[in-house]
Amino acid sequence: MLKITVIELSEDIYWIGANIHTEDLFEGIWPIPNGVALNAYVVKGEKIALIELVREWGGAAQTLINNLESLSISFDDIDYIVLNHLEPDHTGFTNMLKLLAPNAEIVTTQKGAALVDGFFGITSNIKIVKTGDELDLGKGKKLKFAEIPNVHWPETMVTYEEDSKILFSSDAFGSFGVHKGCIFDDETPDSNKSYWEDEMLRYYANIVATFSPMVLKAIDTLAGLEIKMIAPSHGLVWRGNPGAVINKYIRYANYNKDYAEPEICVVWGSMYGNTETMLNAVLRGIAKEAVPIHLHRVPNVDPSFVLADAYKSAGLVIGAPTYEYGMFPPMKYNLELFQKKHIWYKKVAFFGSYGWSGGALKDFESLSERMKWEILDPLSFKGHPTSEELKQGEELGRKIASQVKNIPSKIKDEEF
Ligand code: FEO
């Protein structure tokens, strides 16, 4: 059965991508219970360019083929395959497409060409472009390229179509989540907006956060362009208010500076209820200051969701017992991801129970060394917490909450 889902962005420019509903993990790590959109596009001048592809995933390759057929584009008609970014979620279909359209030229950066060889063994029919280069497709359609290295990989670039003023932005301004019946921001009902905010933030924290300085640099690089629409390779296409998604990404990129929201992410694990008893005391303390709490138990909650809330929150509370002379392993894994994803500049509290000897605190101190955290006096206790220790726990919660609660929220002027 044909699944034709072409959507016009502008005259002779179409979305030809696919929505993936899957229980697979994105990048083999991150759960995507709401799926993900693999956005691909076609620009038709006298010459025809595809911008981004898909990977074979949930029928995406066949969908893209069907979509091209529905536009009466045969494979012989394709002149260029523009690969802004070589991660295989966008390029997995390259091998097959080169067989179907052997004369099409792959357009990518110098570094992208090395990955086209590395992933697909393709070394011919490649057009290498750099910032400022243009590709005239005829009939008024002209593509212009700008490198935005490390958003998300070093070879990444964006493509700007001058006539329509559409920016094909690759992973930048992207999101997890499938389209819920519409691809544009200005067709999204208000009831779906929190869905997109959550999925965008989680995508950013999981995939992009490490590269935040490069995100801000890329936004500077693109500042001179008149942008009427932003068409990323995941998530919504921003037609009504492209400035809103730029502002969201500026906010996200600043979250790993001293810029987060007045909220506390509490991440905890417990083996036999002793650390859990202290957790309840700490939560009582936080509640006294009425600061919003995101509560995640590990390993029950996947780190993907923990990262998103930890990333945006100014306060971070870690509750972890000792396990075999070290930190409870699921918490250790979460903290290693915090290091990798630059969950920096937080106000942090730590508590945890131990039996024969400590160890969780030692690991916490070592893991937090380069995180630029402001850490309150940790609370490490033997076995079940005493009444006195529970009072200290409540005070620890109150103290971190009082430090966080007057931080101004950064969420503003981003409605779409
Ligand atoms: Fe969507 Fe970095 O690939």
Side-chain angles (χ1 to χ4, degrees), residues 194-268:
S194 64
Y195 162 82
W196 284 111
E197 177 76 34
D198 291 349
E199 291 292 7
M200 284 180 70
L201 175 68
R202 193 166 64 88
Y203 171 84
Y204 190 96
N206 292 184
I207 309 295
V208 188
T210 312
F211 310 103
S212 289
M214 295 76 157
V215 169
L216 294 172
K217 193 169 175 194
I219 289 172
D220 277 351
T221 301
L222 303 173
L225 287 178
E226 183 187 352
I227 297 171
K228 285 196 173 162
M229 199 183 306
I230 293 181
S233 47
H234 302 291
L236 286 173
V237 173
W238 296 79
R239 177 178 69 180
N241 186 4
V245 74
I246 294 172
N247 286 338
K248 280 182 197 300
Y249 259 60
I250 290 172
R251 169 163 58 90
Y252 297 160
N254 280 289
Y255 276 163
N256 58 12
K257 297 183 181 176
D258 191 6
Y259 190 83
E261 303 298 330
E263 300 169 10
I264 294 180
C265 179
V266 179
V267 194
W268 69 284

